[in-house]
Amino acid sequence: MKVNFIKSAQDPKGYPQAKLPEYAFVGRSNVGKSSLINMLADAKGLAKTSSTPGKTRLLNFFSVDDQWILVDVPGYGFAKISKSQREHWGDMVRDYVLKRQTLLYTFVLVDSRLKPQKSDTAFLEWLGENNLPFALVFTKADKLSRNKVHSNVAAYKRALLEKWEELPPIFITSSEEKTGKAEILNFITGCNSEYGSLVTGAFN
Ligand code: GTP
Ligand code: MG
């Protein structure tokens, strides 16, 4: 897989050209977005990871095999930032997710150790209200036993089904142990080919 950093941006003027199918990775600060992106890309230092939450502040665009675009979105729910910074984050992310025409899926990352968190649930609901497709990625599965991961995921699904009629695609991952990678990449490949046939269809 050939992954190249394209650019960082904070508003539509700065986004790269909207040509390739795109996938965004969003989630609370420190949930493991940058680590997951590095795992998918097979490159350690590609997306900056850090034990200090709030490291990623701009939208970071990467091209993958010149076929699709991956976006590392700065994390939400980081307590130690000011209200105005938080609002700025909200505007930047909402703007991006709502307006980016080539964005096919938003991957929402949640920590597999935790119960549904308010900020996650609020973001998922906002996506739903706006009819935006998303998938759910459970991170850091290596920090729990397999049984515990599955019972947490099952509890999460039950919570989702109280609000939703259908479950989103769900992935269980560990960037540490490199699990869940093939599943996510296969899913993206499938979406890319659907997108490809739609785009081709439009010109036939
Ligand atoms: P922000 O950019 O601040 O929003 O954080 P992020 O979501 O990009 O998180 P990042 O990938 O920087 O990871 C945060 C911390 O969690 C780092 O110390 C990582 O090493 C650790 N971490 C991430 N993924 C995993 C994982 O799958 N397993 C384990 N054990 N640790 C992980
Ligand atoms: Mg990050």
Side-chain angles (χ1 to χ4, degrees), residues 63-135:
S63 71
V64 184
D65 293 334
D66 299 319
Q67 296 293 316
W68 54 280
I69 293 177
L70 182 159
V71 186
D72 188 3
V73 177
Y76 53 81
F78 177 46
K80 284 187 196 146
I81 59 169
S82 66
K83 185 156 176 264
S84 70
Q85 276 176 306
R86 199 166 8 244
E87 282 166 2
H88 176 70
W89 179 91
D91 289 343
M92 179 176 79
V93 175
R94 274 190 295 272
D95 233 32
Y96 165 69
V97 177
L98 283 174
K99 293 186 187 156
R100 185 68 164 165
Q101 283 173 342
T102 42
L103 177 63
L104 299 194
Y105 259 90
T106 298
F107 288 89
V108 180
L109 277 63
V110 297
D111 190 318
S112 54
R113 295 169 295 180
L114 305 178
K115 297 210 161 61
Q117 302 287 297
K118 263 212 181 105
S119 51
D120 295 328
T121 317
F123 187 62
L124 294 175
E125 277 168 22
W126 178 82
L127 289 168
E129 282 160 13
N130 288 286
N131 288 317
L132 298 161
F134 64 85

Side-chain angles (χ1 to χ4, degrees), residues 2-193:
K2 190 181 84 187
V3 183
N4 287 314
F5 174 68
I6 309 174
K7 65 191 304 203
S8 300
Q10 58 174 333
D11 55 44
K13 287 197 297 284
Y15 303 164
Q17 243 192 331
K19 272 200 344 216
L20 297 171
E22 194 160 293
Y23 302 86
F25 291 79
V26 188
R28 287 189 312 124
S29 212
N30 216 41
V31 71
K33 294 174 294 297
S34 300
S35 303
L36 184 84
I37 289 168
N38 289 336
M39 167 176 82
L40 295 177
D42 263 328
K44 235 189 159 133
L46 190 68
K48 299 267 180 300
T49 61
S50 145
S51 47
T52 324
K55 177 101 184 158
T56 316
R57 295 202 185 279
L58 297 167
L59 302 163
N60 288 313
F61 294 83
F62 300 87
S63 71
V64 184
D65 293 334
D66 299 319
Q67 296 293 316
W68 54 280
I69 293 177
L70 182 159
V71 186
D72 188 3
V73 177
Y76 53 81
F78 177 46
K80 284 187 196 146
I81 59 169
S82 66
K83 185 156 176 264
S84 70
Q85 276 176 306
R86 199 166 8 244
E87 282 166 2
H88 176 70
W89 179 91
D91 289 343
M92 179 176 79
V93 175
R94 274 190 295 272
D95 233 32
Y96 165 69
V97 177
L98 283 174
K99 293 186 187 156
R100 185 68 164 165
Q101 283 173 342
T102 42
L103 177 63
L104 299 194
Y105 259 90
T106 298
F107 288 89
V108 180
L109 277 63
V110 297
D111 190 318
S112 54
R113 295 169 295 180
L114 305 178
K115 297 210 161 61
Q117 302 287 297
K118 263 212 181 105
S119 51
D120 295 328
T121 317
F123 187 62
L124 294 175
E125 277 168 22
W126 178 82
L127 289 168
E129 282 160 13
N130 288 286
N131 288 317
L132 298 161
F134 64 85
L136 207 53
V137 178
F138 290 88
T139 64
K140 307 191 185 182
D142 59 284
K143 294 210 177 196
L144 293 174
S145 72
R146 192 181 274 249
N147 278 343
K148 189 69 189 144
V149 170
H150 283 280
S151 70
N152 282 1
V153 171
Y156 213 108
K157 286 182 180 170
R158 282 195 297 277
L160 287 171
L161 287 170
E162 286 173 16
K163 293 238 166 76
W164 306 79
E165 281 170 25
E166 270 178 82
L167 290 172
I170 288 177
F171 302 95
I172 299 172
T173 66
S174 160
S175 305
E176 197 71 29
E177 293 180 341
K178 309 239 183 296
T179 49
K181 175 178 169 178
E183 289 79 2
I184 292 180
L185 291 178
N186 285 341
F187 177 80
I188 289 176
T189 304
C191 295
N192 285 344
S193 53

